[in-house]
Structure formats: structure tokens, C-alpha cells
Amino acid sequence: ASDIYEKVLGKDHPSTAASYNNIGIVYSNIGEYSKALEFYTKALKIREKVLSKDHPDTAINYGSIGFAYNSLGDYPKALEFLTKALNIQEKVLGKDHPSTVATYNNIGGTYSIMGNYPKALEFYTKALSTREKVLGKDHPDTASSYNNIGSVYQYMGDYPKALEFYTESLKIVEKVLGKDHPNTASSYNNIGSVYEYMGDYPKALEFYIKALSIREKVLGKDHPDTVTSYNNIGQVYSIMGDYSEGYSYSKKAYYAF
């Protein structure tokens, strides 16, 4: 398709850029991020030239390139392009636009991976504040923001704050998505992991088992998330000295593969 657009419309046409961008998305979806970068960059060059550097479509390309660098593990480059995207989005779309909020979230995630937790919290909190304002508290994206902030506090070792935000996320997903949703299971699992880090193994088991019950029911016994639950439960039983139960769950994980 890109060859046709180039031939008919020329290399510097917005439709040619869109075609390059779409090819980049396909490569990204199949995990070929270097190829994705190649086509995203082609699209960006056209859009910067034809649409201007402050156009929302140019921002989309900056964001896509940032995501690709993130996936390749080049976090400084990811931040560079995500920040370019954000500057345009805040200026042109406004701070409350979903695309702007998504970029806040992506920048927060990049800082979290880099271990810069204060900056991660700064951007995750911006995303949360806007989502509560625009989408309301009872929205899956708002729950995701609570979960993200909880994860940063967990990495920082502030387990009470992690529990606070994970619990808020759980309340929303239970209400909005239901008690048998995979996201609800993930919330239970996250809370269980905090209790495990705190050394409260009975509470960790309680939440890990809740997560497992949902995952077995909804995802099946062979799903990777279910296997994770088997391993988590087996590990906690072993730590508690109940090696028989620990072995039982570890064996379930092993035979799931």
C-alpha cells in the first residue's frame, strides 16, 4: 500500500505517512520493534515536513517511536520522544485529553522501569488526577492508574501506601468489571505480593488464592497467569514451612507446561 501511495500521491503526502505509520504498527504488534522504528521514522519525517511539528499526528509518531524505544530497552531515547509527544499534546490538545493522559502514563512507566520512582509517581499521579476528573473514579483506566502508583510504592518498599492504592484499584475493578475478571485477579495477586513482602504470609495466601480461583475459572489451568498463581502460592507455603502444600502447587505449575 505504501508503494502505491508513494507512486500516486508522492512521498510527502499525509496518506503516505499514514501508510508508513500503519506498517510500523504491524511490526510493533509482532514484536519487530527495529522495523517498526524504521517505518515510524519515515512517517514522522513526512508529517514534520507537511503537517508541522505541532500537529497531533506528529505527536502520535513521536509517541509511537518512544514506545518502540521502550520496547527495545533504550529508555533515555524513549523519554526523549515521549516528551516531544507530550509537549505537543499539552499545547494542542490540552492536559485533559486522553492522548495526553496516555503519554503521562507512558512516561511514568518508563521512569518506573528506569528506577526513577519519584518521577514515575509524578507522571502516574498526573494521569490519575486527569482520569478521575474526566472519566470519573469508577473507570477501568482510573483503576489502572491506582494500580500503577501502587506498583511504584511497592518498588520503593512503602508497602502500606502500595496496599492503599492497590486496594483502591481492586474496589473499582470489582465494581466495574466484576469479581471474575482477569483484572480483578491481577489486583488480588498484587495485594497478595505486598503482604508476602511484608511477611504476612496468611494474608498473602488469602489474596493469592482469590487470584487463582478467578484465573482457573476464567483463563484455565494452563494460562501463564494461572501458572504464576500456582508458583506464588507454592512459594508462600514453602516459606511457611508447609513443604507438602508448597510442592503440590509447584507441581501444578510444572505440569501446566
Side-chain angles (χ1 to χ4, degrees), residues 52-92:
S52 86
K53 290 187 176 182
D54 287 341
H55 193 279
D57 286 350
T58 307
I60 289 172
N61 264 125
Y62 283 136
S64 298
I65 291 171
F67 176 82
Y69 277 121
N70 232 334
S71 301
L72 289 166
D74 190 340
Y75 305 120
K77 290 294 285 183
L79 279 177
E80 176 189 335
F81 281 90
L82 289 171
T83 301
K84 286 181 178 181
L86 180 63
N87 290 338
I88 298 169
Q89 289 163 341
E90 285 186 328
K91 179 180 177 181
V92 178

XYZ file of all heavy atoms in Angstrom, residues 52-92:
320
model
N 3.592 20.001 10.041
C 4.258 20.819 11.064
C 4.570 19.976 12.298
O 3.988 18.911 12.519
C 3.434 22.047 11.484
O 2.511 21.705 12.514
N 5.496 20.495 13.086
C 5.958 19.761 14.268
C 4.955 19.806 15.414
O 5.096 19.055 16.369
C 7.306 20.321 14.729
C 8.450 19.991 13.783
C 9.791 20.397 14.348
C 10.912 19.968 13.419
N 12.249 20.310 13.953
N 3.969 20.680 15.346
C 2.989 20.805 16.427
C 1.645 20.166 16.088
O 0.646 20.450 16.739
C 2.766 22.288 16.769
C 3.948 22.882 17.500
O 4.756 22.108 18.054
O 4.067 24.124 17.522
N 1.624 19.321 15.086
C 0.370 18.672 14.693
C 0.137 17.416 15.547
O 1.090 16.703 15.873
C 0.425 18.294 13.213
C -0.892 17.923 12.637
N -1.459 16.676 12.780
C -1.777 18.651 11.895
C -2.614 16.639 12.163
N -2.842 17.830 11.620
N -1.123 17.125 15.909
C -1.400 15.921 16.716
C -0.891 14.625 16.089
O -0.451 13.720 16.816
C -2.929 15.914 16.805
C -3.318 17.341 16.684
C -2.331 17.945 15.723
N -0.925 14.533 14.741
C -0.424 13.314 14.096
C 1.091 13.187 14.249
O 1.620 12.068 14.341
C -0.787 13.312 12.602
C -2.265 13.021 12.374
O -2.947 12.649 13.351
O -2.731 13.177 11.237
N 1.771 14.317 14.277
C 3.214 14.288 14.534
C 3.477 13.799 15.951
O 4.389 13.000 16.195
C 3.823 15.695 14.334
O 3.451 16.194 13.048
C 5.339 15.649 14.446
N 2.642 14.243 16.879
C 2.754 13.786 18.270
C 2.548 12.280 18.368
O 3.252 11.594 19.138
C 1.732 14.508 19.148
N 1.603 11.766 17.593
C 1.361 10.321 17.598
C 2.616 9.573 17.186
O 2.984 8.561 17.789
C 0.174 9.965 16.664
C -1.146 10.440 17.281
C 0.126 8.458 16.396
C -2.330 10.316 16.348
N 3.299 10.095 16.159
C 4.530 9.444 15.711
C 5.626 9.496 16.762
O 6.343 8.519 16.994
C 5.036 10.070 14.413
C 4.586 9.289 13.194
O 3.976 9.854 12.303
N 4.844 8.003 13.143
N 5.776 10.665 17.401
C 6.751 10.762 18.486
C 6.452 9.712 19.562
O 7.353 9.029 20.054
C 6.716 12.152 19.121
C 7.402 13.243 18.328
C 6.800 14.493 18.167
C 8.655 13.042 17.768
C 7.418 15.510 17.459
C 9.288 14.054 17.055
C 8.667 15.288 16.903
O 9.289 16.292 16.203
N 5.173 9.595 19.905
C 4.781 8.626 20.925
C 5.045 7.196 20.504
O 5.512 6.374 21.299
N 4.763 6.893 19.243
C 4.998 5.540 18.728
C 6.484 5.189 18.733
O 6.876 4.074 19.086
C 4.440 5.412 17.307
O 3.046 5.613 17.292
N 7.301 6.168 18.346
C 8.752 5.952 18.363
C 9.233 5.760 19.800
O 10.071 4.895 20.083
C 9.474 7.127 17.673
C 9.185 7.100 16.168
C 10.983 7.074 17.932
C 9.668 8.329 15.408
N 8.676 6.548 20.710
C 9.011 6.387 22.122
C 8.668 5.001 22.636
O 9.455 4.372 23.356
N 7.493 4.509 22.244
C 7.078 3.164 22.653
C 8.034 2.110 22.106
O 8.398 1.159 22.802
C 5.657 2.880 22.176
C 5.186 1.483 22.471
C 4.681 1.146 23.717
C 5.259 0.485 21.499
C 4.265 -0.146 23.998
C 4.844 -0.814 21.771
C 4.341 -1.119 23.026
N 8.441 2.275 20.837
C 9.356 1.309 20.224
C 10.701 1.289 20.945
O 11.255 0.218 21.229
C 9.553 1.639 18.747
N 11.220 2.479 21.267
C 12.483 2.532 22.022
C 12.323 1.901 23.405
O 13.239 1.229 23.910
C 12.972 3.972 22.153
C 13.748 4.462 20.951
C 13.333 5.582 20.229
C 14.912 3.816 20.536
C 14.051 6.038 19.120
C 15.633 4.267 19.439
C 15.196 5.369 18.734
O 15.912 5.805 17.640
N 11.172 2.127 24.013
C 10.878 1.496 25.307
C 10.974 -0.021 25.190
O 11.588 -0.692 26.022
C 9.467 1.889 25.759
C 9.451 2.432 27.167
O 10.307 2.113 27.987
N 8.473 3.268 27.462
N 10.344 -0.550 24.158
C 10.317 -1.998 23.953
C 11.698 -2.549 23.647
O 11.986 -3.716 23.953
C 9.345 -2.347 22.820
O 8.043 -1.894 23.116
N 12.559 -1.711 23.058
C 13.922 -2.127 22.754
C 14.867 -1.935 23.939
O 16.041 -2.305 23.869
C 14.447 -1.334 21.549
C 13.832 -1.696 20.194
C 14.167 -0.626 19.158
C 14.331 -3.061 19.720
N 14.345 -1.331 25.014
C 15.156 -1.137 26.217
C 16.005 0.121 26.202
O 16.855 0.302 27.079
N 15.797 1.001 25.228
C 16.533 2.258 25.187
C 15.665 3.329 25.838
O 14.987 4.115 25.165
C 16.871 2.629 23.735
C 17.850 3.791 23.636
O 17.983 4.546 24.616
O 18.479 3.943 22.572
N 15.712 3.383 27.160
C 14.780 4.228 27.908
C 15.065 5.726 27.790
O 14.110 6.523 27.717
C 14.738 3.773 29.371
C 14.390 2.306 29.481
C 15.255 1.406 30.084
C 13.202 1.820 28.944
C 14.955 0.060 30.157
C 12.891 0.468 29.007
C 13.769 -0.407 29.611
O 13.460 -1.740 29.675
N 16.326 6.155 27.738
C 16.561 7.591 27.511
C 15.979 8.078 26.178
O 15.377 9.157 26.110
C 18.087 7.698 27.535
C 18.526 6.572 28.411
C 17.578 5.453 28.079
N 16.144 7.277 25.112
C 15.556 7.661 23.821
C 14.029 7.622 23.891
O 13.352 8.471 23.289
C 16.047 6.729 22.711
C 17.493 6.898 22.344
C 17.794 8.252 21.716
C 17.312 8.363 20.293
N 17.699 9.686 19.692
N 13.507 6.646 24.607
C 12.052 6.574 24.771
C 11.534 7.852 25.429
O 10.550 8.455 24.965
C 11.673 5.357 25.613
N 12.196 8.277 26.501
C 11.775 9.502 27.195
C 11.880 10.722 26.288
O 11.014 11.609 26.325
C 12.625 9.721 28.445
C 12.246 8.930 29.684
C 13.224 9.216 30.811
C 10.823 9.259 30.131
N 12.930 10.766 25.480
C 13.117 11.893 24.569
C 11.918 12.053 23.650
O 11.377 13.169 23.489
C 14.387 11.665 23.743
C 14.638 12.730 22.684
C 15.781 12.361 21.740
O 16.669 11.579 22.134
O 15.768 12.846 20.591
N 11.468 10.952 23.047
C 10.360 11.042 22.090
C 9.002 11.153 22.781
O 8.108 11.844 22.284
C 10.411 9.856 21.128
C 11.433 10.028 20.050
C 12.737 9.583 20.221
C 11.117 10.684 18.872
C 13.694 9.772 19.241
C 12.067 10.879 17.877
C 13.367 10.428 18.063
N 8.845 10.486 23.904
C 7.585 10.622 24.641
C 7.403 12.054 25.134
O 6.287 12.585 25.131
C 7.554 9.653 25.821
C 7.396 8.171 25.467
C 7.602 7.293 26.701
C 6.031 7.893 24.842
N 8.490 12.691 25.534
C 8.421 14.078 25.992
C 8.075 15.016 24.839
O 7.304 15.971 25.008
C 9.752 14.495 26.649
O 10.018 13.628 27.762
C 9.689 15.931 27.153
N 8.623 14.745 23.651
C 8.253 15.533 22.465
C 6.758 15.402 22.180
O 6.079 16.394 21.860
C 9.060 15.075 21.249
C 10.515 15.512 21.256
C 11.236 15.020 19.998
C 12.679 15.483 19.970
N 13.400 15.047 18.748
N 6.270 14.170 22.281
C 4.832 13.945 22.071
C 4.006 14.722 23.096
O 3.011 15.387 22.747
C 4.517 12.456 22.161
N 4.438 14.650 24.343
C 3.689 15.319 25.421
C 3.650 16.833 25.224
O 2.597 17.459 25.429
C 4.320 14.974 26.773
C 3.649 15.613 27.993
C 2.211 15.130 28.129
C 4.440 15.298 29.261
N 4.769 17.411 24.832
C 4.812 18.864 24.644
C 3.798 19.327 23.608
O 3.137 20.357 23.784
C 6.221 19.298 24.223
C 7.228 19.168 25.347
O 6.865 19.156 26.526
N 8.505 19.068 25.008
N 3.670 18.556 22.537
C 2.675 18.900 21.507
C 1.264 18.698 22.048
O 0.385 19.551 21.880
C 2.874 18.038 20.245
C 4.241 18.295 19.618
C 1.758 18.315 19.225
C 4.613 17.302 18.529
N 1.035 17.554 22.681
C -0.314 17.229 23.149
C -0.825 18.225 24.182
O -1.993 18.637 24.135
C -0.316 15.811 23.719
C -0.165 14.742 22.646
C 0.231 13.393 23.189
O 0.743 13.284 24.315
N 0.032 12.348 22.411
N 0.040 18.616 25.116
C -0.396 19.605 26.114
C -0.730 20.933 25.447
O -1.697 21.600 25.822
C 0.697 19.808 27.165
C 0.812 18.672 28.161
C 1.800 18.964 29.272
O 2.799 19.678 29.016
O 1.590 18.486 30.391
N 0.069 21.300 24.435
C -0.117 22.581 23.758
C -1.340 22.590 22.846
O -2.130 23.547 22.841
C 1.137 22.895 22.932
C 1.091 24.196 22.156
C 2.386 24.396 21.378
C 2.343 25.653 20.530
N 3.598 25.833 19.743
N -1.522 21.510 22.089
C -2.556 21.484 21.043
C -3.861 20.845 21.530
O -4.949 21.327 21.208
C -2.032 20.738 19.795
C -3.102 20.653 18.727
C -0.789 21.421 19.248
